Amino acid sequence: MTVEVISIGTELLLGQIVDTNAAWLSARLAEVGVGVYRRTTVGDNLTRIVAALREALERADGIVAIGGLGPTDDDLTREAIAELLGEPLVLDEGEAARLHEFFATRGRTVNERQLRQAMRPRSAQTIPNPHGTAPGLYAEWHSKPIFALPGPPNEFQPMVVDAVLPRLAQRAGGCVIRSRVLRLCGIGESDAEAQLQDLISSSNPTLAPLAKLGEVHFRITARADSPDQAEQMIAEMEHAVRARIGAYIFGVDETTLEQAVVQSLIEAGQSLAIAESCTGGLLGHRITSVAGSSEVFLGGVISYSNALKEALLGVPREVLQAHGAVSEPTAQAMAEGARQRLGSWWGIGITGIAGPGGGTPEKPVGLVYVGVSDPTGTVVKRQVFPGDRATVKYRATQYALWLLYKGVKHGGCASLSPL
Amino acid sequence: MTVEVISIGTELLLGQIVDTNAAWLSARLAEVGVGVYRRTTVGDNLTRIVAALREALERADGIVAIGGLGPTDDDLTREAIAELLGEPLVLDEGEAARLHEFFATRGRTVNERQLRQAMRPRSAQTIPNPHGTAPGLYAEWHSKPIFALPGPPNEFQPMVVDAVLPRLAQRAGGCVIRSRVLRLCGIGESDAEAQLQDLISSSNPTLAPLAKLGEVHFRITARADSPDQAEQMIAEMEHAVRARIGAYIFGVDETTLEQAVVQSLIEAGQSLAIAESCTGGLLGHRITSVAGSSEVFLGGVISYSNALKEALLGVPREVLQAHGAVSEPTAQAMAEGARQRLGSWWGIGITGIAGPGGGTPEKPVGLVYVGVSDPTGTVVKRQVFPGDRATVKYRATQYALWLLYKGVKHGGCASLSPL
């Protein structure tokens, strides 16, 4: 089965935003055995949108349209589908009620424009949008499925997973496709590939590497006649991969490194406090992005200024004067200060130079010291990360999370020294 | 003049890479007055590529094809253009010599596959590629221009600037397009649009809304005979917009809210310290993502546990017991504690329920109190934000940044009460 993806929005044709939705959707469709025949991007123009929808439906077995479902006059996807189907737009009572409630709980009333979002072609169904006001639409053209979803990724992605993939996978029928992603940290893509070369050449299940910032992912995809058979094939491949590089695998599928860290802390019954300088709060943000992190995460200090490193973390002034804020002793004092001042089992201290300014020959942009402390001791690691300010900040938090994960999993700081 | 952009590559349809070339090219074309009618992505399939090229040329005044010019068997763009033109492929002697030299200087000889890159449709010209082995192609179909360029951005982008834009700008006949984005916070898309209805119906310059998470953008686009005229038209439209909703505009084009906040603090010579609970460090991360923020940002406390709210911020235990951690008095005490304990001019305190758990009928998920404190006083605002955990965290930081921006711009906390 093939579908076409149609991205709608003049801002796309003007190059003001990059269309990440289309690529993300294409990858999800491939995983369930649905091929993308062609992708099209059109502007906010009714005639052009209708033409693009019709042409795509004539080529492929269905379409997914993205964007143009908002409340404003240049949101025309509803009208385009209605014209394609030769149907009027009608008010969906359920969505209208939901909109009234949504605004009522915020002490506001729905205006005419907002209410447009509850309109749908007569034969269409609405697709619930838990994260926004614009519902999606499902309709059929000569029994070919038409999905229309709002563009904001935080609204779009869950709707694809909940409403689009199951229906398309069912239509694709026959052979089932299952996939699992193994997530690695602490090893480079080429090093990992070198150890898996023969497995990567397998045709079914396939093993495909994907390099992410600070991580390497391997996607196992199996095609089989039954779900059980596919799962069995995946399990065998995963076993083979783990036998070689299992030490670097922190999670599977959507498991993030921060989720793995929080889970390991909960299992160990150990708490965490952090002290961030160059990362400025990003480590705390990543940890607290995990629901339930409050069970083990006490909090932290963003000690951007030296005065705060002294006042809130007890970093000795002599250390700051003798070695500087970006130094091994300062990272150690920050990690231990976080533990002691905030009363946690684990303490992390991060200090470095995120750039673009502030670098010197001895202490270049990207230099980061990460201190990890627990009752068994304190370890400080030095790294020089490539990339811009945002990349250095992210890599520093990724490295700190990986050190902590290893430490928790292997019985404390002592286990980190060999790293 | 309009063109269509055709991205060629199965890896795009599989979602293995995001097509950043198409967006980048679209923006450059707009700058020289060339509109993009439609964008298409096709896989490495000769028949489908030829069809996409022909259809695009029938709709628009020319096309730019990206990718499929490499040495491997699935690089089919040369063959597709030759078939479209009904011409054979011939060897371009100049490019062949260049390839031989390229490999000779690396102590290698050109193989058959590499030499394919020097082939071109008989009537086509090659476009030099200073950064790679695959030249681009220029041909004409019924006097409409066809450009074909290699996909690697470091090869693609200079070729666009050197060979594509000048020829298309010349054909476009001087008309230039300029655009500017006005960024708003503190007002919804539909509310803002309601105040600009007559301006939005303008055809040149155009005014188009774009909703972002926690922000609304309005893009002004002007078509004119000269850059000066276009800039003048934009300036007049911007003036008209600002006269109505200027109070909500914090920046233009790429300016982020955190950049606007840091800039306003630098101009006011005022420092900032923060206390984050439910946002867990995201506010600090966003502020420190701005290069130079250390000039005004002292740091903060991530007081996830109540114990830390007391110990590091001096939030009275009685307040926590009487009103709870998520309450107006706690947000006030956090903001004032951040100011006093960290020694800053401005203090911000954020406490709330990010979810998915922890909500009650009185204190639902999404409930957030933001306290803002300066020497003139302290203001606390209550909001209930929709969305998942990540969305609530982001909206809370967006709201806090907006309150701070207003406060700094309008002479202190006293100005925030009417908000």
Side-chain angles (χ1 to χ4, degrees), chain A residues 97-115:
Chain A
R98 182 170 164 279
L99 273 174
H100 282 291
E101 182 189 351
F102 178 90
F103 284 92
T105 57
R106 286 157 184 75
R108 296 164 54 190
T109 56
V110 181
N111 61 31
E112 199 53 40
R113 191 171 274 109
Q114 291 288 359
L115 212 50

Side-chain angles (χ1 to χ4, degrees), chain A residues 12 16 39 41 113 284 393, chain B residues 12 39 41 197 219 280 284 288:
Chain A
L12 291 166
Q16 294 180 330
R39 258 174 16 206
T41 306
R113 191 171 274 109
K393 284 179 71 176
Chain B
L12 292 166
R39 259 172 17 203
T41 306
Q197 199 49 62
R219 182 184 60 248
T288 59

Side-chain angles (χ1 to χ4, degrees), chain B residues 127-315:
Chain B
I127 299 173
N129 177 356
H131 303 294
T133 55
L137 295 173
Y138 175 81
E140 294 189 356
W141 182 84
H142 299 307
S143 78
K144 290 182 177 183
I146 301 171
F147 294 89
L149 302 172
N154 67 313
E155 303 177 25
F156 170 75
Q157 293 183 7
M159 294 170 80
V160 167
V161 172
D162 298 340
V164 179
L165 297 184
R167 300 194 210 188
L168 288 181
Q170 190 178 24
R171 282 177 173 259
C175 154
V176 296
I177 295 181
R178 289 289 186 277
S179 80
R180 182 176 306 159
V181 175
L182 305 181
R183 295 178 157 227
L184 288 70
C185 194
I187 185 171
E189 180 184 20
S190 53
D191 293 343
E193 203 185 13
Q195 296 192 48
L196 303 172
Q197 199 49 62
D198 56 315
L199 299 178
I200 289 170
S201 61
S202 153
S203 61
N204 186 25
T206 58
L207 182 66
L210 180 63
K212 298 276 191 178
L213 185 58
E215 294 182 14
V216 176
H217 298 176
F218 281 90
R219 182 184 60 248
I220 305 169
T221 306
R223 297 172 172 268
D225 296 332
S226 72
D228 289 355
Q229 189 187 356
E231 292 296 342
Q232 177 62 25
M233 292 164 69
I234 288 176
E236 285 164 13
M237 176 63 86
E238 178 173 357
H239 181 77
V241 172
R242 287 184 180 273
R244 301 186 194 183
I245 55 176
Y248 301 99
I249 299 175
F250 64 82
V252 302
D253 293 337
E254 299 307 308
T255 307
T256 64
L257 182 56
E258 42 269 50
Q259 286 172 336
V261 165
V262 168
Q263 187 56 39
S264 68
L265 286 169
I266 290 174
E267 288 165 3
Q270 297 169 347
S271 61
L272 169 67
I274 63 177
E276 301 187 68
S277 183
C278 63
T279 51
L282 177 57
L283 180 59
H285 168 52
R286 290 184 65 184
I287 292 166
T288 59
S289 69
V290 181
S293 52
S294 56
E295 198 175 321
V296 289
F297 182 63
L298 302 184
V301 170
I302 304 171
S303 56
Y304 225 51
S305 72
N306 281 357
L308 292 192
K309 292 184 179 73
E310 287 183 49
L312 296 182
L313 297 167
V315 178

